[in-house]
Amino acid sequence: PGTGARRPASRTGSGLRPANPRLLRQRLFVFVVVTLVVAFGIALVQGCQGPS
Protein backbone atom coordinates (compact mmCIF):
# COMPACT_ATOMS: atom_id res chain seq x y z
CA PRO A 1 0.00 0.00 0.00
CA GLY A 2 1.72 3.10 -1.24
CA THR A 3 0.58 6.67 -0.88
CA GLY A 4 0.72 7.50 -4.59
CA ALA A 5 -1.62 6.10 -7.20
CA ARG A 6 0.09 4.08 -9.89
CA ARG A 7 -2.32 4.96 -12.67
CA PRO A 8 -4.85 7.76 -12.91
CA ALA A 9 -8.46 6.81 -12.36
CA SER A 10 -9.74 8.65 -15.39
CA ARG A 11 -7.74 10.17 -18.17
CA THR A 12 -9.53 12.45 -20.59
CA GLY A 13 -8.62 12.01 -24.22
CA SER A 14 -5.60 9.73 -24.09
CA GLY A 15 -6.79 6.75 -22.10
CA LEU A 16 -6.53 3.22 -23.44
CA ARG A 17 -10.21 2.56 -22.80
CA PRO A 18 -12.57 3.90 -25.47
CA ALA A 19 -14.75 6.79 -24.46
CA ASN A 20 -18.46 6.26 -24.02
CA PRO A 21 -20.19 5.45 -27.33
CA ARG A 22 -22.28 8.61 -27.19
CA LEU A 23 -19.16 10.79 -27.26
CA LEU A 24 -17.60 8.71 -30.02
CA ARG A 25 -20.79 9.01 -32.10
CA GLN A 26 -20.84 12.78 -31.55
CA ARG A 27 -17.18 13.12 -32.59
CA LEU A 28 -17.78 11.00 -35.69
CA PHE A 29 -20.78 13.14 -36.63
CA VAL A 30 -18.78 16.35 -36.22
CA PHE A 31 -15.91 14.90 -38.26
CA VAL A 32 -18.21 13.89 -41.12
CA VAL A 33 -20.00 17.26 -41.15
CA VAL A 34 -16.75 19.25 -41.13
CA THR A 35 -15.30 17.06 -43.88
CA LEU A 36 -18.39 17.54 -46.06
CA VAL A 37 -18.37 21.32 -45.51
CA VAL A 38 -14.69 21.55 -46.44
CA ALA A 39 -15.20 19.37 -49.53
CA PHE A 40 -18.18 21.48 -50.57
CA GLY A 41 -16.15 24.67 -50.10
CA ILE A 42 -13.31 23.31 -52.22
CA ALA A 43 -15.78 22.31 -54.92
CA LEU A 44 -17.26 25.80 -54.91
CA VAL A 45 -13.85 27.43 -55.20
CA GLN A 46 -12.88 25.11 -58.03
CA GLY A 47 -16.18 25.84 -59.80
CA CYS A 48 -15.69 29.60 -59.45
CA GLN A 49 -12.28 29.43 -61.11
CA GLY A 50 -13.69 28.02 -64.34
CA PRO A 51 -11.92 25.66 -66.71
CA SER A 52 -8.16 25.93 -66.57
Side-chain angles (χ1 to χ4, degrees):
T3 55
R6 294 199 168 200
R7 35 186 186 148
S10 66
R11 202 182 273 198
T12 58
S14 61
L16 291 179
R17 264 188 226 165
N20 48 354
R22 191 175 180 185
L23 181 62
L24 288 179
R25 211 177 312 129
Q26 185 180 3
R27 284 185 179 180
L28 179 65
F29 178 75
V30 170
F31 173 74
V32 169
V33 168
V34 169
T35 303
L36 287 176
V37 168
V38 169
F40 187 66
I42 291 173
L44 278 178
V45 171
Q46 291 290 332
C48 290
Q49 287 179 357
S52 44

